[in-house]
Amino acid sequence: MGSIAKKILEEHIVEGKYEVGEEIGIRIDQTVTQDATGTMAYLQFEAMGLDKVKTELSVSVVDHNTLQTDFKNPDDHRYLQSVAAKYGIKFSRPGNGIIHQVFLERFSRPGKTLIGSDSHTPTAGGTGAIAIGAGGLDVAVAMGGGPFYLKTPTIVGVKLTGELKDYVSAKDVILEVLRRIGVKGGVGKILEYYGPGIKTLSVPERATITNMGAETGATTSIFPSDEITKEFLKLQDREDQWVEIPEGTNEDFDEIIEINLSELEPLVAKPHSPGNVVPLSELYGTTVDQVAIGSCTNSSLKDMLTVATLLKGRKIHQNTVLGISPGSRQVLMHLSKTGGLTDMISAGARLLETACGPCIGMGFAPKTNATTVRTFNRNFLGRSGTKSAQAYLVSPEVAVAAAIFGEFTDPRKLGDYPKIEMPSSIEIDDSLILEPADKPEEVEIMRGPNIAPLPEFQPVPEDFIGTKVLLKVEDNITTDHIMPAGAEILPLRSNLPKISEHVFEQVDPSFPKRALESKENGGGLIIGGENYGQGSSREHAALAPMYLGVKFVLTKSFARIHRDNLVNFGILPLTFSNSADYDKINDNDVLEIKGVRNALENNEKIIVRNVTQGFEIETTYDLSERERQIVLTGGKLSYTVAST
Ligand code: MIC
Ligand code: SF4
């Protein structure tokens, strides 16, 4: 049979050879963006000077910045709408739902390649697509018809056997994967699901698993396309888009992880990492102040029907607040028609917009020191909007039990497990998905005052002289640490000078000021531990430091998307040849690189000199020839414009 990931990748290769670890360029069939990364992606697409996207399908979704506290977000929405109309992109209006839920329902297709400017793009892997999260610039280039480059990943077969017990659900499967391999266990890998257990999982359940596979650092996750996929597409009135992609067998994989679904118990990821997984039973009795149900991980119709059924006839605990955000307008309409919404409201739930909302700190922030229980995929420090809050990640079933009983408890206390019958038909109404304009030449791009022009990109100089260590951080620093999100900062995504004032705000608020001071004297650098830049795809985590004069980042290792984003904006990603050297560097040390340009041009070793302490550090940079050229030119935009 063969691995399906390998098969789809091979079908799409346009450059390079399929060999684990080697760079390949693949043709991209579909792209998707959301508003928080989209404004930058489309500014970059505009800078490429093309008339129209060259993909089979490109979709722009508005779902992140929907808390409109002033003109900024609605101005950005109008900008995105006008760009979509002009350049041949479908536009999912605010209110239509969360990017990955909408894409799964309406656009995702087995056998296709998709890249999206959001790290949870692999959700579409639930329908047998190769769906990869990337920086906005990579998506812009793909919209322009350029290949997407990646290192050929190792393919890990995740063999599922058995069947989930009552009150154990898809979320527990991915939490189990995280418990086993952690938040960097998937780096450089694709997680491909197979085995008899997959037949017990519907597409939305598979999508919960592929969605949160992002938290392992995996390039993507994928399920085969089978009769269950066909059923799902049929419900979405897209049966004609089904193709069969049979599952692989043991021999097809470089590594195998086996999970017996029958043995799983409800699990929880404790603060402040999705990899911090323990059995729910360890937390029984802990008071819960807030419960939030939704996000691209757990907001499908199946999840929402389960939640509504469990809440029916019950009331939430007086000390716990419950917020629910269904994943799409389609889900919300169905709940509304079939009475599920009434059950939620009657139980005391606060109904939130169908958008990312609390997952990204866009409203519904928990109280001081709260224990907040979420069906989401990330619980990084401060992400909820309240720095002192303790966020736990769970399944919808566990979340409902916490809301009813006001504490972590066994969801089996809710009685017989509801067997959710999925409807045989559902109302499909795409009226909030706008088609591109018939006469694109007549469409005027609408730019509000919040949209600042792109910065100048500078080529790498001969030497880095006077570069100062601005910050030294530990392992697993997330892009939420580097470039926080939340209700105040997210609206600045299209305004680089303004958003740069918030870089590393949670870690060291003096960072932007100090960086700007050093910018005049040779610029700065950041020292990182393992897995630096894990989490989101936000390229602002590279762009904003670049704007503040950061020249290079020296770490023990990088997370994939962030490393690519650094390259895309001309920041050199270096790693220690000997990770013990990490300990020898102090804040404010001056680290120089003589002949950096020459070394990059000739693919030679880069030696960093610690001028302050007087010693040398050997580094490595794992850049392809193409990536070295990108860094030398000052980033991918200059490189792409120069080479077209
Ligand atoms: C996230 O979940 O962190 C986000 C917000 O969706 C990001 C994208 C962004 O920062 O805009 C992601 O996952 O890539
Ligand atoms: Fe939105 Fe949260 Fe999903 Fe990111 S993880 S796309 S913020 S719902």
Side-chain angles (χ1 to χ4, degrees):
M1 286 299 142
S3 141
I4 55 179
K6 180 170 182 216
K7 178 170 174 284
I8 303 174
L9 285 173
E10 279 186 328
E11 277 167 11
H12 286 82
I13 287 191
V14 287
E15 260 179 71
K17 197 159 163 264
Y18 190 101
E19 235 164 66
V20 173
E22 292 301 308
E23 186 176 83
I24 47 172
I26 57 168
R27 190 181 71 250
I28 294 300
D29 303 322
Q30 304 184 322
T31 64
V32 67
T33 56
Q34 40 87 343
D35 49 328
T37 52
T39 44
M40 211 36 98
Y42 293 111
L43 284 169
Q44 291 162 159
F45 181 76
E46 282 190 274
M48 286 160 50
L50 299 169
D51 293 342
K52 196 175 185 301
V53 293
K54 296 189 176 156
T55 44
E56 289 174 14
L57 171 84
S58 286
V59 184
S60 169
V61 182
V62 176
D63 60 351
H64 280 61
N65 279 335
T66 55
L67 200 65
Q68 295 161 215
T69 54
D70 65 13
F71 64 92
K72 295 191 203 69
N73 293 336
D75 279 7
D76 284 358
H77 301 169
R78 281 300 294 155
Y79 166 74
L80 292 167
Q81 184 168 339
S82 61
V83 167
K86 194 171 185 68
Y87 293 107
I89 299 157
K90 289 186 195 273
F91 183 70
S92 172
R93 303 181 72 184
N96 197 47
I98 304 176
I99 166 173
H100 310 300
Q101 182 62 28
V102 169
F103 202 90
L104 187 77
E105 289 168 358
R106 305 305 304 135
F107 303 113
S108 167
R109 292 175 67 157
K112 296 285 179 189
T113 51
L114 161 72
I115 64 165
S117 61
D118 193 282
S119 63
H120 293 105
T121 303
T123 313
T127 56
I130 284 285
I132 303 178
L137 183 47
D138 285 328
V139 177
V141 169
M143 286 191 289
F148 175 69
Y149 294 91
L150 71 159
K151 280 226 178 94
T152 308
T154 305
I155 311 220
V156 180
V158 186
K159 183 172 191 172
L160 303 183
T161 58
E163 191 166 356
L164 292 169
K165 289 191 291 222
D166 290 354
Y167 284 103
V168 183
S169 63
K171 183 63 157 282
D172 299 305
V173 179
I174 189 61
L175 287 173
E176 173 66 10
V177 173
L178 275 154
R179 193 185 70 76
R180 297 215 200 159
I181 70 173
V183 290
K184 62 186 175 74
V187 177
K189 298 175 179 176
I190 290 182
L191 304 179
E192 179 170 327
Y193 290 81
Y194 73 115
I198 63 169
K199 296 286 173 223
T200 66
L201 299 171
S202 64
V203 166
E205 290 170 298
R206 295 173 180 186
T208 292
I209 295 171
T210 56
N211 169 284
M212 207 174 164
E215 272 49 71
T216 68
T219 305
T220 189
S221 302
I222 189 167
F223 274 82
S225 171
D226 55 10
E227 288 299 318
I228 293 170
T229 323
K230 191 175 177 181
E231 272 305 296
F232 175 79
L233 289 174
K234 189 167 164 212
L235 188 65
Q236 293 295 332
D237 208 11
R238 303 199 283 125
E239 198 181 347
D240 55 323
Q241 299 179 356
W242 180 72
V243 286
E244 185 175 18
I245 313 182
E247 64 180 282
T249 50
N250 292 348
E251 304 74 59
D252 299 325
F253 303 112
D254 303 306
E255 288 168 39
I256 290 177
I257 296 175
E258 191 164 337
I259 298 178
N260 183 347
L261 300 177
S262 316
E263 286 172 2
L264 292 184
E265 290 290 328
L267 296 167
V268 183
K270 296 202 297 183
H272 297 284
S273 168
N276 210 354
V277 178
V278 297
L280 171 69
S281 53
E282 272 188 23
L283 295 163
Y284 285 172
T286 308
T287 304
V288 171
D289 304 296
Q290 186 199 52
V291 176
I293 300 180
S295 92
C296 57
T297 320
N298 279 121
S299 62
S300 67
L301 185 56
K302 167 103 196 309
D303 283 334
M304 288 295 148
L305 289 174
T306 307
V307 169
T309 313
L310 289 173
L311 286 175
K312 193 180 173 75
R314 294 191 159 99
K315 301 288 177 202
I316 59 167
H317 191 273
Q318 60 179 2
N319 295 334
T320 307
V321 288
L322 168 64
I324 304 181
S325 23
S328 70
R329 176 166 168 267
Q330 185 187 90
V331 172
L332 185 55
M333 286 201 310
H334 189 87
L335 286 173
S336 151
K337 279 191 186 151
T338 55
L341 212 49
T342 311
D343 296 329
M344 290 173 170
I345 298 168
S346 156
R350 287 170 60 182
L351 199 71
L352 307 175
E353 201 177 357
T354 111
C356 300
C359 175
I360 193 59
M362 269 286 176
F364 202 65
K367 72 176 177 71
T368 307
N369 297 331
T371 293
T372 173
V373 172
R374 316 182 137 217
T375 65
F376 308 163
N377 47 36
R378 290 187 175 144
N379 56 349
F380 303 143
L381 180 72
R383 187 174 157 104
S384 65
T386 304
K387 199 171 172 187
S388 65
Q390 305 290 313
Y392 294 77
L393 308 174
V394 300
S395 68
E397 291 83 349
V398 172
V400 171
I404 300 294
F405 296 102
E407 59 183 30
F408 277 114
T409 191
D410 189 343
R412 284 163 276 227
K413 275 179 26 194
L414 293 169
D416 287 345
Y417 189 51
K419 292 277 172 254
I420 303 298
E421 286 297 329
M422 289 301 282
S424 54
S425 77
I426 190 166
E427 185 183 335
I428 310 286
D429 172 4
D430 285 338
S431 54
L432 283 193
I433 301 178
L434 305 183
E435 291 296 324
D438 292 334
K439 294 195 175 135
E441 60 291 351
E442 288 175 10
V443 177
E444 202 190 314
I445 303 292
M446 301 175 81
R447 268 173 248 277
N450 188 39
I451 298 191
L454 293 174
E456 296 272 319
F457 296 96
Q458 304 295 340
V460 170
E462 293 307 322
D463 313 294
F464 286 148
I465 302 285
T467 13
K468 199 169 180 183
V469 176
L470 297 168
L471 191 68
K472 183 175 172 183
V473 288
E474 69 272 25
D475 291 350
N476 294 319
I477 283 295
T478 72
T479 50
D480 280 68
H481 290 104
I482 307 170
M483 187 72 263
E488 277 170 36
I489 307 178
L490 269 172
L492 305 174
R493 284 291 181 90
S494 48
N495 190 332
L496 192 56
K498 278 262 172 274
I499 204 167
S500 300
E501 292 169 15
H502 300 275
V503 172
F504 278 118
E505 195 161 75
Q506 308 265 16
V507 181
D508 178 353
S510 71
F511 183 93
K513 189 164 168 282
R514 290 188 295 106
L516 279 177
E517 280 161 12
S518 320
K519 193 175 177 180
E520 310 307 319
N521 309 310
L525 70 118
I526 298 157
I527 301 289
E530 299 280 3
N531 202 24
Y532 179 82
Q534 69 157 323
S536 92
S537 69
R538 64 190 70 149
E539 56 194 351
H540 302 74
L543 254 175
M546 183 220 80
Y547 181 82
L548 296 174
V550 170
K551 303 289 179 216
F552 64 99
V553 182
L554 176 56
T555 69
K556 292 185 187 169
S557 68
F558 289 96
R560 175 186 63 89
I561 309 180
H562 186 61
R563 188 208 82 113
D564 291 357
N565 283 336
L566 290 172
V567 171
N568 284 352
F569 296 108
I571 300 184
L572 182 61
L574 290 176
T575 46
F576 292 100
S577 300
N578 174 4
S579 49
D581 285 341
Y582 168 92
D583 299 321
K584 298 190 200 154
I585 302 176
N586 297 326
D587 279 326
N588 293 319
D589 280 0
V590 170
L591 302 189
E592 295 188 345
I593 308 179
K594 290 268 172 59
V596 59
R597 189 168 180 91
N598 189 50
L600 274 172
E601 273 166 354
N602 299 306
N603 202 13
E604 284 163 1
K605 230 177 203 4
I606 290 184
I607 304 292
V608 177
R609 180 157 177 77
N610 188 326
V611 181
T612 313
Q613 299 191 51
F615 63 85
E616 288 188 341
I617 302 158
E618 206 183 282
T619 67
T620 43
Y621 53 96
D622 188 12
L623 301 179
S624 67
E625 161 69 27
R626 187 188 57 87
E627 288 174 324
R628 282 190 288 120
Q629 291 310 324
I630 291 176
V631 173
L632 283 164
T633 332
K636 194 167 183 177
L637 201 53
S638 325
Y639 173 82
T640 308
V641 173
S643 57
T644 46

Short mmCIF file of all heavy atoms in Angstrom, two decimals, residues 593-619:
data_model
loop_
_atom_site.label_atom_id
_atom_site.label_comp_id
_atom_site.label_asym_id
_atom_site.label_seq_id
_atom_site.Cartn_x
_atom_site.Cartn_y
_atom_site.Cartn_z
N ILE A 593 30.52 38.08 14.69
CA ILE A 593 30.83 37.07 13.67
C ILE A 593 31.59 37.78 12.55
O ILE A 593 31.01 38.59 11.82
CB ILE A 593 29.57 36.40 13.09
CG1 ILE A 593 28.66 35.87 14.21
CG2 ILE A 593 29.98 35.28 12.15
CD1 ILE A 593 27.38 35.21 13.72
N LYS A 594 32.88 37.52 12.48
CA LYS A 594 33.69 38.09 11.39
C LYS A 594 33.46 37.26 10.13
O LYS A 594 33.46 36.04 10.18
CB LYS A 594 35.18 38.06 11.75
CG LYS A 594 35.57 39.03 12.85
CD LYS A 594 36.02 40.36 12.24
CE LYS A 594 36.24 41.45 13.30
NZ LYS A 594 37.24 41.11 14.29
N GLY A 595 33.26 37.94 9.02
CA GLY A 595 33.14 37.25 7.73
C GLY A 595 31.89 36.39 7.62
O GLY A 595 31.89 35.35 6.98
N VAL A 596 30.79 36.87 8.22
CA VAL A 596 29.57 36.05 8.21
C VAL A 596 29.02 35.89 6.78
O VAL A 596 28.59 34.81 6.38
CB VAL A 596 28.50 36.63 9.17
CG1 VAL A 596 28.10 38.05 8.85
CG2 VAL A 596 27.27 35.76 9.21
N ARG A 597 29.11 36.95 6.01
CA ARG A 597 28.58 36.90 4.64
C ARG A 597 29.38 35.89 3.80
O ARG A 597 28.81 35.04 3.11
CB ARG A 597 28.63 38.31 4.03
CG ARG A 597 27.91 38.36 2.74
CD ARG A 597 27.63 39.71 2.14
NE ARG A 597 26.94 39.42 0.89
CZ ARG A 597 25.63 39.33 0.77
NH1 ARG A 597 24.84 39.57 1.79
NH2 ARG A 597 25.08 39.00 -0.39
N ASN A 598 30.68 36.03 3.94
CA ASN A 598 31.56 35.14 3.19
C ASN A 598 31.31 33.66 3.57
O ASN A 598 31.22 32.79 2.71
CB ASN A 598 33.01 35.55 3.50
CG ASN A 598 33.96 34.82 2.62
OD1 ASN A 598 33.79 34.80 1.40
ND2 ASN A 598 34.94 34.17 3.23
N ALA A 599 31.17 33.43 4.87
CA ALA A 599 30.94 32.05 5.32
C ALA A 599 29.64 31.50 4.76
O ALA A 599 29.58 30.36 4.28
CB ALA A 599 30.91 32.01 6.85
N LEU A 600 28.61 32.32 4.78
CA LEU A 600 27.32 31.86 4.25
C LEU A 600 27.39 31.61 2.75
O LEU A 600 26.84 30.64 2.24
CB LEU A 600 26.24 32.92 4.53
CG LEU A 600 25.55 32.86 5.89
CD1 LEU A 600 24.66 34.07 6.08
CD2 LEU A 600 24.72 31.58 6.03
N GLU A 601 28.09 32.51 2.07
CA GLU A 601 28.21 32.35 0.61
C GLU A 601 28.90 31.04 0.25
O GLU A 601 28.56 30.37 -0.71
CB GLU A 601 28.98 33.53 0.01
CG GLU A 601 28.07 34.69 -0.32
CD GLU A 601 28.81 36.00 -0.59
OE1 GLU A 601 30.06 36.04 -0.42
OE2 GLU A 601 28.14 36.98 -0.95
N ASN A 602 29.88 30.68 1.06
CA ASN A 602 30.67 29.49 0.74
C ASN A 602 30.29 28.27 1.57
O ASN A 602 31.00 27.27 1.56
CB ASN A 602 32.16 29.80 0.92
CG ASN A 602 32.57 30.92 -0.02
OD1 ASN A 602 32.37 30.82 -1.22
ND2 ASN A 602 33.09 32.01 0.54
N ASN A 603 29.20 28.39 2.30
CA ASN A 603 28.72 27.28 3.13
C ASN A 603 29.81 26.80 4.10
O ASN A 603 30.01 25.60 4.26
CB ASN A 603 28.24 26.14 2.23
CG ASN A 603 27.26 25.23 2.97
OD1 ASN A 603 26.77 25.59 4.04
ND2 ASN A 603 27.00 24.06 2.41
N GLU A 604 30.51 27.76 4.70
CA GLU A 604 31.57 27.40 5.65
C GLU A 604 31.09 27.58 7.09
O GLU A 604 30.13 28.30 7.34
CB GLU A 604 32.79 28.32 5.41
CG GLU A 604 33.57 27.92 4.18
CD GLU A 604 34.51 29.03 3.72
OE1 GLU A 604 34.54 30.09 4.37
OE2 GLU A 604 35.16 28.83 2.68
N LYS A 605 31.81 26.99 7.99
CA LYS A 605 31.47 27.06 9.41
C LYS A 605 31.39 28.50 9.90
O LYS A 605 32.19 29.34 9.46
CB LYS A 605 32.54 26.33 10.21
CG LYS A 605 31.91 25.39 11.13
CD LYS A 605 32.81 24.55 11.95
CE LYS A 605 32.14 23.28 12.41
NZ LYS A 605 30.83 22.91 12.02
N ILE A 606 30.47 28.77 10.78
CA ILE A 606 30.40 30.11 11.36
C ILE A 606 30.89 30.04 12.81
O ILE A 606 30.37 29.27 13.62
CB ILE A 606 28.97 30.68 11.29
CG1 ILE A 606 28.63 30.98 9.82
CG2 ILE A 606 28.82 31.92 12.15
CD1 ILE A 606 27.29 31.63 9.59
N ILE A 607 31.94 30.83 13.07
CA ILE A 607 32.48 30.88 14.43
C ILE A 607 32.02 32.20 15.06
O ILE A 607 32.19 33.27 14.48
CB ILE A 607 34.03 30.85 14.42
CG1 ILE A 607 34.55 29.60 13.68
CG2 ILE A 607 34.60 30.94 15.84
CD1 ILE A 607 34.28 28.28 14.37
N VAL A 608 31.43 32.08 16.22
CA VAL A 608 30.96 33.27 16.93
C VAL A 608 31.98 33.59 18.01
O VAL A 608 32.38 32.71 18.78
CB VAL A 608 29.58 33.00 17.57
CG1 VAL A 608 29.12 34.19 18.38
CG2 VAL A 608 28.55 32.64 16.51
N ARG A 609 32.43 34.85 18.06
CA ARG A 609 33.40 35.22 19.08
C ARG A 609 32.71 35.97 20.21
O ARG A 609 32.02 36.97 19.98
CB ARG A 609 34.49 36.08 18.44
CG ARG A 609 35.53 36.49 19.41
CD ARG A 609 36.88 36.85 18.84
NE ARG A 609 37.72 37.30 19.95
CZ ARG A 609 38.29 36.50 20.83
NH1 ARG A 609 38.19 35.20 20.71
NH2 ARG A 609 39.01 36.99 21.84
N ASN A 610 32.86 35.48 21.42
CA ASN A 610 32.33 36.20 22.57
C ASN A 610 33.39 37.24 22.96
O ASN A 610 34.39 36.93 23.62
CB ASN A 610 32.04 35.24 23.73
CG ASN A 610 31.30 35.92 24.87
OD1 ASN A 610 31.52 37.10 25.13
ND2 ASN A 610 30.43 35.19 25.54
N VAL A 611 33.17 38.48 22.52
CA VAL A 611 34.16 39.54 22.71
C VAL A 611 34.27 39.91 24.19
O VAL A 611 35.35 40.12 24.73
CB VAL A 611 33.76 40.79 21.88
CG1 VAL A 611 34.78 41.90 22.03
CG2 VAL A 611 33.60 40.42 20.42
N THR A 612 33.14 39.92 24.85
CA THR A 612 33.12 40.31 26.26
C THR A 612 33.95 39.36 27.11
O THR A 612 34.74 39.77 27.96
CB THR A 612 31.66 40.33 26.78
OG1 THR A 612 30.87 41.03 25.84
CG2 THR A 612 31.54 40.95 28.15
N GLN A 613 33.81 38.04 26.87
CA GLN A 613 34.50 37.07 27.72
C GLN A 613 35.75 36.48 27.07
O GLN A 613 36.50 35.74 27.71
CB GLN A 613 33.55 35.94 28.09
CG GLN A 613 32.33 36.39 28.88
CD GLN A 613 31.60 35.18 29.43
OE1 GLN A 613 32.19 34.31 30.07
NE2 GLN A 613 30.31 35.11 29.20
N GLY A 614 35.92 36.76 25.78
CA GLY A 614 37.11 36.33 25.09
C GLY A 614 37.20 34.84 24.81
O GLY A 614 38.17 34.18 25.20
N PHE A 615 36.18 34.24 24.21
CA PHE A 615 36.31 32.85 23.72
C PHE A 615 35.46 32.68 22.46
O PHE A 615 34.65 33.55 22.12
CB PHE A 615 35.91 31.83 24.80
CG PHE A 615 34.48 31.92 25.25
CD1 PHE A 615 33.47 31.26 24.56
CD2 PHE A 615 34.13 32.66 26.38
CE1 PHE A 615 32.15 31.35 24.98
CE2 PHE A 615 32.81 32.75 26.80
CZ PHE A 615 31.82 32.09 26.09
N GLU A 616 35.70 31.55 21.80
CA GLU A 616 34.99 31.31 20.54
C GLU A 616 33.98 30.18 20.66
O GLU A 616 34.19 29.23 21.42
CB GLU A 616 35.99 30.99 19.43
CG GLU A 616 36.76 32.23 19.04
CD GLU A 616 37.64 32.03 17.83
OE1 GLU A 616 37.94 30.86 17.49
OE2 GLU A 616 38.02 33.04 17.22
N ILE A 617 32.91 30.27 19.89
CA ILE A 617 31.87 29.25 19.92
C ILE A 617 31.67 28.74 18.50
O ILE A 617 31.47 29.53 17.58
CB ILE A 617 30.53 29.85 20.40
CG1 ILE A 617 30.69 30.48 21.78
CG2 ILE A 617 29.42 28.80 20.42
CD1 ILE A 617 29.63 31.50 22.08
N GLU A 618 31.69 27.43 18.37
CA GLU A 618 31.44 26.87 17.05
C GLU A 618 29.93 26.67 16.87
O GLU A 618 29.25 26.20 17.78
CB GLU A 618 32.15 25.52 16.97
CG GLU A 618 32.50 25.15 15.56
CD GLU A 618 33.14 23.78 15.52
OE1 GLU A 618 34.33 23.69 15.86
OE2 GLU A 618 32.43 22.83 15.16
N THR A 619 29.44 27.04 15.71
CA THR A 619 27.99 26.90 15.48
C THR A 619 27.73 26.10 14.21
O THR A 619 28.61 25.92 13.39
CB THR A 619 27.32 28.28 15.31
OG1 THR A 619 27.79 28.86 14.10
CG2 THR A 619 27.59 29.19 16.47
#
